[in-house]
Each structure stands twice: as C-alpha cells, then as structure tokens.
Amino acid sequence: MRKAALSVVGRPTFVIVGAGQAGAQAAFTLRERGFRGRFVLLGAEPHGPYMRPPLSKKFLAGELARERVFLRAASFYETHDIELKLDTHVEGINLAGAHVHLANGLRLGYDRLLLATGMRARRLDVPGSGGPGIHYLRTLSDALRLREALVAGKRVVIVGGGYVGLEVAATVAGAGARVRVLEVDDRVLRRVTTAGISDFFAAAHRAHGVDIRCGARVLAFEGTDRLEAVVCDSGRFDADLAVVGIGGMPNDAIAMAAGLVCDSGIVVDDRCRTSDANVYAAGDCTSLPSALFGRRLRLESVQNAVDQATVAARNMCGEERTYDKVPWFWSQQ
C-alpha cells in the first residue's frame, strides 16, 4: 500500500468519481467538515445528483415532480464551490501518477480520490432481450422512458420478484396496468427476507390483482416491432412491455483495471480505504467488512451509501472514523 500524502502546497484536490447518492453525500460532508481545497464531482449521467428510491415509486407513478428527485438545486454546487461535471466519463485511473483519465482526453490530478461508481442493472441474456418494450430501472432516464410507456390497461410482465420488481409491480398495478411477476426462485424476496415475510408480500400483491408466478425461468422475449410475449419454462405470457429487475453488478471495472483489489466490488477496509492509501470507495460498488456478520458484504441500499460516504469523506480529511453501521433498508409496496 502506498503511503498517503496530502498536498500542502496550494489547494489540495479531491476528486469524486460518481455523482450518485454516495458521491453527493461525500461532497456535502467535505464542505460541512470544513474542507477548503478544490474538489471535483464527476457524473456520467446528464442529470445532477438525485434520489433513486422514488424512481420505482412516486416518480414512476407521476406523483412526484422531476425537480423533487434532485438532492440539491443546481445552484448549490456553485455556491459551495463544488465543481460538478456531468456527462463526464472516466476511462482510467493512474495510481502512480495520482490522476484520472477522462473520455474527453483530459487528465485530472488528485490528492485524494473517492470512487462512488455505484452499480449497473444486471442484464437478462436470452433470445429477444434486445428487442422493443423491454425496460430496466436504474437511472432517472430509465424511469422517464418507462413512465412514458405505461398506459392503463397495458399488460406488464415483471421479471424478478426482488425489491425493485415488487415496487414497480405495486406502482404500475396502481396505475391500472395488468401485472404479472415472474420469479425464478420458489418465493419472492428469497435473497433478502424470511419465508414468512415473502408470503406476506406475495399475498398483499395478489390481493391487489398482481399475478405472481414463482419457479418461472424466462427463456425468451417474442416480438418484432413490439413486444408480444414473454416465454418461460412454465408457459407463454402475453405482454405489451416488460420490466427486468434481477439485481445489480458493481461498477468496479476502472478500479480493477487500475490495479485496486476487487472481489465482487471494490475492496475497502473499515475506514473505506482501498488497497491504495490515497483512494477511497463508498456505496454500492464496494465490498466492505462487517464486524456484525464476520464477513464481507456488498450492500445495495441508500442508507449504506450515505453512511459509508460520510465516513469516507471524513477520513479523506484526515479524521480516523470507522464504518460500523448496522445495515437497514426500507421498501414501499
């Protein structure tokens, strides 16, 4: 591990890669803790930092205005001297030279680097999966496209009975769509809850007209100019659109390419430091140690992103803070 060194000549520069919940929280914390150096917040999306939970709930239902999902007004970043650069893609990290390479050809040096790259939706690779009418829900742009496609009375097939799948099912059923959930496991929410809780949620959805089919493995999507059906090993189901929610993958490619230790996410210690002393990571992209469970975890939750990013930012400023929060989460269905 390289020895940490903070520039004392001029203004130290902190760079945050990822303008999601974790990246934004780190930026807010740095200013709150009195960091007066330069820092740059790099976001790959065209939108400023926003809340993801409403995307499958009130925002998708059209009950929440677009401006309400943003964490701060655009003017906040300028007022607090945060260089927010959107539509900016990082192509690589040079650990020895302490700089990141941007897709536009520029090089940005840093004294401390925080990776808050989040995760991406896991794709379903079956025949027809690239056809029309098939949606994923991870970003604000995804939610806008799906919201535009939803019309009362449409036949919607949701692939995956996890939190995202069931939240979308509740939202679109409430909007008047005919909803069917196809889950490959023998019960919904199997990865995250007990059988009793799974049964409770399944019964609640069925009481609201949602058809839940467990043990259903999707084999193909049918349709040429539009989606016509979803085919699984237990039958063929007519569909006007499909929403695939089968989990996420950590965005750790640039960390891995740079030589940082990764194992189902960017490996960090209890102070959110990576295998390079000047590089930290927080949020969905990390593999973090849990003293409570005695093993490493990758937590896909807003609260973890907020809490971990806060600890990372404070440690970047020279504090010695340990991340030891008990994981918790919520779901609105």
Side-chain angles (χ1 to χ4, degrees), residues 222-236:
E222 292 183 350
T224 304
D225 298 324
R226 62 178 182 84
L227 180 64
E228 296 176 4
V230 179
V231 180
C232 64
D233 51 8
S234 58
R236 179 183 183 276

Side-chain angles (χ1 to χ4, degrees), residues 17 36 39 46 49 77-78 100 102 104 162 169 182 236 238 251 254 285 306:
V17 179
R36 293 293 175 259
F39 75 87
Y77 302 94
E78 183 176 355
V100 297
L102 306 183
N104 60 11
L182 303 178
R236 179 183 183 276
D238 293 336
N251 288 326
I254 60 169
C285 64
V306 169

